[in-house]
Amino acid sequence: MSASPRAGLPSADGRPPGRLPYTGTGTAFTDETPYEERAWPPGPRWRTFDGGPVQPAPPEDGEADRRLGPASATRRPSAAEVRLVNAAILLRRPLLVTGRPGVGKSALAFRIARELGLGRVLQWPVTSRTTLGSGLFEYDVLGRAQAGQAWFAAQGRESGQDAAGDGPPASALDIGDFIQLGPLGTALLPHRLPRVLLIDELDKGDADLPNDLLSLFEDGWFPVQPLVRVKRQMGSVTVYTADPGRTATINDGIVKTRSFPIVIMTSNGEREFPEAFMRRCLRLDIPDPTPETLGELVAAHFGGGLGDVQERLVQEFMTRSAEVDGLASDQLLNAAHLVTSGAYSYGEGDHAEWRAVLEAIWHPLNGDGADWGV
């Protein structure tokens, strides 16, 4: 059952009701209004930011179509998904998405970006070694030192003696050439419309990482310390971003957001998060997929290529998933590809071979063996 996502809501300042932006149907953004003129629902007064200079429209990369299938595919979102995504957008708050591994938590970020036309998703996969700083920016101080040595060596060769003087000009060793913003730092740049940031598997990170994110999510800005140290000499510096081939200009060493990003954080429930962190998030729990949602998933990627086999394959997947305490949705897609490839007829004549293949690709996620009995 889906919600009515375009229904009007009264605004806090008495203006006419607006329209909720997200429907969850998976359709691609079709508004032909130029990026610079597109409207966006206002946020709360206490979640308003004024960073600059404003960045150009973000790039597209086709990743959403690769992950989700064509935008024309039919999808019936849950009412909870539509409700909470819209609430996160309107409140400018991160959305913590929980559920078993493989239920499609990270796919939500790509659905939002594609439907709302917000450009490529910025992805920040979290591991046990991930720190807040690695998501914000990286400074190649060693590379800059090596470049300085190379400059001095070249000057010495040109003059026939050791290079002298106070050092290379700023243009020769522009500090911005050695700084790259990470996915988190790029998402907080002052874009006119929010970027979509996927922080994947947050529960795998260090225990301090959620607390480190608190002030960043609350304040919407951060310093790039190497640039802060040189701001008297270089007030504006152009650095690389997490978008391939893109740069951004930073003034006085500070990155300050303008339109708070749509932050999708996924968690497999491996540990609890601090209470203060949870207070600043909205939470969406994605349940195990139903036969209907699995059918939509297969149809999105294969159209009608499976024919009458699709229902049977989905049912077998559901049965196997129950036996091994849960399978990931992409394991179903693997089986569907094998069927459509023509390598297996999925008929009675190949029954034993097909069962052996399914047992191999529909293996338990916890690593335990669970023979099917071929």
Side-chain angles (χ1 to χ4, degrees):
M1 178 180 178
S2 62
S4 177
R6 301 301 190 192
L9 291 177
S11 61
D13 56 6
R15 287 175 295 176
R19 289 177 8 130
L20 297 177
Y22 180 70
T23 67
T25 56
T27 55
F29 182 76
T30 57
D31 189 349
E32 296 182 359
T33 305
Y35 178 85
E36 295 77 11
E37 300 175 13
R38 284 178 54 193
W40 192 253
R45 186 180 300 106
W46 55 92
R47 298 290 295 161
T48 301
F49 307 94
D50 59 356
V54 179
Q55 302 299 302
E60 299 282 355
D61 63 0
E63 186 68 7
D65 289 345
R66 187 183 74 84
R67 287 174 175 255
L68 305 175
S72 58
T74 301
R75 182 174 185 271
R76 291 168 291 180
S78 69
E81 176 188 317
V82 175
R83 181 187 308 120
L84 285 166
V85 169
N86 281 310
I89 290 172
L90 293 172
L91 294 174
R92 309 303 199 255
R93 290 295 183 186
L95 182 61
L96 179 63
V97 184
T98 58
R100 277 197 316 101
V103 297
K105 299 184 293 295
S106 60
L108 178 59
F110 295 90
R111 289 197 293 271
I112 295 171
R114 183 168 71 178
E115 181 181 333
L116 303 183
L118 298 176
R120 66 185 295 268
V121 174
L122 294 162
Q123 303 179 61
W124 187 28
V126 174
T127 70
S128 59
R129 298 179 298 277
T130 299
T131 63
L132 180 67
S134 64
L136 293 176
F137 69 90
E138 292 184 353
Y139 175 39
D140 186 5
V141 62
L142 180 59
R144 193 174 186 223
Q146 291 172 338
Q149 292 174 349
W151 185 90
F152 278 113
Q155 292 298 107
R157 287 194 299 269
E158 290 177 4
S159 61
Q161 57 187 7
D162 290 339
D166 296 330
S171 58
L173 291 178
D174 189 340
I175 189 173
D177 290 342
F178 302 90
I179 293 178
Q180 180 170 21
L181 299 181
L184 179 57
T186 302
L188 288 170
L189 282 169
H191 295 96
R192 186 180 178 280
L193 301 178
R195 294 297 300 270
V196 178
L197 170 66
L198 172 62
I199 304 179
D200 210 10
E201 299 191 325
L202 181 62
D203 50 339
K204 291 188 181 300
D206 184 84
D208 292 331
L209 183 58
N211 284 326
D212 292 340
L213 288 167
L214 284 180
S215 60
L216 189 69
F217 286 161
E218 198 65 25
D219 299 335
W221 70 273
F222 67 93
V224 181
Q225 291 297 345
L227 300 185
V228 172
R229 289 194 288 268
V230 299
K231 68 179 182 180
R232 291 184 179 179
Q233 294 79 32
M234 293 178 285
S236 295
V237 178
T238 299
V239 303
Y240 296 103
T241 74
D243 290 318
R246 290 291 186 97
T247 59
T249 299
I250 299 176
N251 294 328
D252 297 327
I254 300 297
V255 173
K256 186 177 183 181
T257 194
R258 188 177 188 88
S259 188
F260 191 80
I262 299 174
V263 182
I264 304 299
M265 304 179 295
T266 70
S267 169
N268 294 327
E270 294 183 5
R271 64 180 175 86
E272 295 296 323
F273 296 110
E275 194 172 296
F277 176 80
M278 294 301 298
R279 182 167 59 86
R280 290 168 172 82
C281 302
L282 300 179
R283 181 169 179 172
L284 169 65
D285 186 65
I286 296 184
D288 291 349
T290 65
E292 291 74 22
T293 56
L294 289 174
E296 290 176 357
L297 175 66
V298 172
H301 286 274
F302 297 95
L306 273 78
D308 297 336
V309 172
Q310 176 174 306
E311 184 176 350
R312 176 181 167 190
L313 186 64
V314 168
Q315 188 55 54
E316 286 196 16
F317 178 82
M318 295 289 292
T319 301
R320 177 63 170 169
S321 182
E323 292 174 350
V324 298
D325 196 27
L327 294 174
S329 299
D330 59 350
Q331 292 174 286
L332 172 61
L333 295 180
N334 290 338
H337 176 72
L338 292 180
V339 172
T340 58
S341 70
Y344 299 91
S345 66
Y346 200 36
E348 291 301 322
D350 287 337
H351 182 75
E353 177 67 14
W354 176 246
R355 278 293 210 209
V357 170
L358 283 187
E359 184 172 341
I361 63 176
W362 287 355
H363 56 82
L365 299 181
N366 59 13
D368 294 338
D371 292 340
W372 230 346
V374 178

